[in-house]
Amino acid sequence: MRILVTGGAGFIGSHLCDQLIVHGDEVVCVDNLFTGAEQNIVSLMANPKFIFIKHDIVEPLYLDKSVDQIYNLACPASPPHYQLNPVHTIKTSTIGVMNMLGIARRHQARFLQASTSEVYGDPEVHPQTEEYHGNVNPFGPRACYDEGKRYAESICFDYHRTHGTGIKIVRIFNTYGPRMAFNDGRVISNFIFQGLQDKPITIYGSGSQTRSFCYVEDMVAGLIKMMNSPPEITGPINVGNPEEKTVTELAQKIIALTGSSSIITYLPLPQDDPRRRCPDITKAKTLLGWQPTVGLEKGLQKTIADFRQRLGK
Ligand code: NAD
Ligand code: UDP
């Protein structure tokens, strides 16, 4: 198959491209390198089945050959990155998604949209099921991301209902692993980066807020299963690891695993930071036969090994 991956030079996208190439597919990777890096796809560049196009999906894209599937992952994912240029973030999930849906319609390609647990905002239902409509502040600093992703889900369904476009919506929960950028700003990359350099571990707020972390290999397996599931499975479907931890527990685990002498320092909690997050993955289990296989400790060990190698520590 010929597969378009937008955001393919990013963290999850580059692991996805690796897997598709291993499977024997041709991959067209489109990325504007805002948060992604050529380094993430350097091993693929020499492969004749891999094409990289530096392009911003907010601008129209014309492909010379048709594609069978589109994984739309382009969008900065870390709060400091998506808040850097919020107008561009929302354009990416609105105009950008519409541009990519236009390609899907023209080429009759299946379209998988990387949605997010952020569509649930600061959830009042726990764990979060797909039926829950969320609790999002529509004009806060996270809204450029949350509302953009909610719009994206809605336009995907409109293309599906109006034009018969084959859509697959995956609500991705916090994902981590090798290749996360050092300056990513997300909690696991921050804590490992700080821990390996014996710098203070920065907990925002009290550290009692929770997240549920999924290892990137499991996430990519879930995305591929969803893309290749029967057409009637449109989602939205939660993909994540329901092993819920407080930020304090995470900090303690990373200090132990890195053998760090870091102290913990407390910084203000960012506005609208969700207090609890944990996916209900019943649908992923029953409809896709998917569930995570890598526990937090094992995944952190692999991630720490990658950070050590890149930092020369
Ligand atoms: P990332 O920032 O590493 O990757 C995003 C990629 O998209 C980068 O390579 C970036 O350069 C590219 N990009 C951004 N805007 C673009 C644009 N307008 N045009 C073309 N390319 C653009 O983040 P990630 O963690 O790999 O996330 C990938 C996708 O998964 C995103 O859509 C994100 O919203 C979603 N997601 C990720 C998580 C997570 O925990 N990692 C959680 C929920 C959802
Ligand atoms: N966080 C933290 N210290 C950091 C980075 C993040 O305590 O250095 C907290 C953040 O406030 C949030 C949780 O960790 O409660 C997860 O943050 P992240 O940015 O990784 O993801 P998101 O908030 O989008 O789930």
Side-chain angles (χ1 to χ4, degrees), residues 242-301:
E243 197 183 338
E244 187 181 3
K245 293 274 179 266
T246 65
V247 167
T248 298
E249 285 168 335
L250 180 72
Q252 286 161 346
K253 204 171 241 315
I254 291 179
I255 289 173
L257 290 173
T258 52
S260 174
S261 59
S262 293
I263 55 153
I264 289 180
T265 179
Y266 292 88
L267 297 176
L269 189 69
Q271 189 190 325
D272 296 334
D273 198 284
R275 284 161 297 178
R276 287 188 79 183
R277 181 181 292 154
C278 180
D280 180 319
I281 58 164
T282 310
K283 280 197 175 159
K285 280 184 181 167
T286 53
L287 296 176
L288 305 180
W290 177 89
Q291 61 180 352
T293 60
V294 182
L296 184 60
E297 180 140 341
K298 191 168 161 217
L300 284 176
Q301 282 165 344

Side-chain angles (χ1 to χ4, degrees), residues 29-311:
C29 167
V30 166
D31 200 298
N32 68 354
L33 300 180
F34 172 47
T35 51
E38 280 191 51
Q39 187 57 33
N40 290 339
I41 48 170
V42 76
S43 62
L44 298 174
M45 287 294 207
N47 191 318
K49 287 191 158 182
F50 183 82
I51 298 166
F52 173 64
I53 304 173
K54 185 166 185 277
H55 179 85
D56 191 316
I57 65 161
V58 171
E59 304 300 328
L61 174 70
Y62 300 98
L63 297 174
D64 52 358
K65 279 202 223 161
S66 72
V67 289
D68 306 295
Q69 296 183 339
I70 301 172
Y71 289 87
N72 188 46
L73 270 63
C75 185
S78 142
H81 286 157
Y82 68 64
Q83 288 170 20
L84 216 55
N85 187 344
V87 173
H88 199 78
T89 298
I90 204 153
K91 279 186 179 173
T92 297
S93 292
T94 53
I95 302 168
V97 171
M98 244 196 285
N99 284 337
M100 296 306 107
L101 279 165
I103 296 179
R105 186 183 172 199
R106 273 196 299 282
H107 297 211
Q108 304 209 328
R110 273 195 181 185
F111 187 87
L112 182 144
Q113 170 62 15
S115 188
T116 169
S117 51
E118 285 281 325
V119 301
Y120 302 119
D122 186 12
E124 289 153 326
V125 166
H126 198 82
Q128 292 81 58
T129 59
E130 292 85 350
E131 285 69 36
Y132 177 51
H133 290 174
N135 175 36
V136 172
N137 174 353
F139 56 85
R142 295 176 91 98
C144 59
Y145 183 74
D146 301 8
E147 294 291 11
K149 292 284 188 178
R150 287 169 69 94
Y151 163 90
E153 289 196 7
S154 129
I155 189 85
C156 283
F157 272 95
D158 288 334
Y159 266 71
H160 178 63
R161 286 185 289 249
T162 310
H163 303 303
T165 308
I167 58 157
K168 304 278 175 186
I169 299 195
V170 178
R171 292 184 177 155
I172 299 174
F173 280 65
N174 296 65
T175 301
Y176 71 100
R179 290 191 196 146
M180 287 188 95
F182 296 142
N183 70 344
D184 189 283
R186 283 179 275 191
V187 68
I188 287 192
S189 44
N190 272 6
F191 286 2
I192 295 178
F193 189 66
Q194 293 158 349
L196 287 177
Q197 297 175 99
D198 296 319
K199 290 185 175 156
I201 302 281
T202 52
I203 290 186
Y204 303 159
S206 67
S208 61
Q209 69 272 37
T210 69
R211 295 293 186 272
S212 307
F213 298 100
C214 184
Y215 190 62
V216 66
E217 272 174 22
D218 281 332
M219 179 53 59
V220 165
L223 297 179
I224 293 174
K225 277 205 165 193
M226 179 62 169
M227 177 63 102
N228 296 293
S229 63
E232 64 276 12
I233 300 180
T234 56
I237 197 157
N238 292 337
V239 176
N241 188 327
E243 197 183 338
E244 187 181 3
K245 293 274 179 266
T246 65
V247 167
T248 298
E249 285 168 335
L250 180 72
Q252 286 161 346
K253 204 171 241 315
I254 291 179
I255 289 173
L257 290 173
T258 52
S260 174
S261 59
S262 293
I263 55 153
I264 289 180
T265 179
Y266 292 88
L267 297 176
L269 189 69
Q271 189 190 325
D272 296 334
D273 198 284
R275 284 161 297 178
R276 287 188 79 183
R277 181 181 292 154
C278 180
D280 180 319
I281 58 164
T282 310
K283 280 197 175 159
K285 280 184 181 167
T286 53
L287 296 176
L288 305 180
W290 177 89
Q291 61 180 352
T293 60
V294 182
L296 184 60
E297 180 140 341
K298 191 168 161 217
L300 284 176
Q301 282 165 344
K302 290 180 176 204
T303 311
I304 291 167
D306 166 73
F307 272 58
R308 274 192 198 284
Q309 196 194 10
R310 286 189 288 147
L311 283 167

